[in-house]
Amino acid sequence: MPYRIFYHHKVNEKDLPAIDKTIRKRIFRAIEIRLMTEPEKYGDPLRKPLQGN
């Protein structure tokens, strides 16, 4: 089963622009590799208004 990753709209607002572009890419790549291969191990279920999506 292929998985898709959706980032919350606030992910890029404040903290990430302050991080070096190369480091930022490495962070996103690490998140995506882990969550797309083993989401049960690395991810948490969605909560409150996002639950079930």
Side-chain angles (χ1 to χ4, degrees):
M1 167 200 267
Y3 295 97
R4 295 188 306 169
I5 297 174
F6 296 96
Y7 292 97
H8 191 275
H9 68 276
K10 290 187 176 185
V11 168
N12 284 321
E13 274 185 13
K14 195 175 180 182
D15 299 323
L16 292 178
I19 299 173
D20 179 68
K21 186 178 180 180
T22 305
I23 304 288
R24 189 169 53 231
K25 283 183 181 181
R26 288 176 58 193
I27 292 169
F28 277 107
R29 191 169 34 250
I31 290 169
E32 291 171 0
I33 288 170
R34 285 181 175 95
L35 288 178
M36 291 178 92
T37 57
E38 295 184 86
E40 299 85 9
K41 181 177 178 181
Y42 296 105
D44 290 325
L46 297 174
R47 295 175 287 189
K48 303 226 179 183
L50 299 174
Q51 189 172 5
N53 291 324

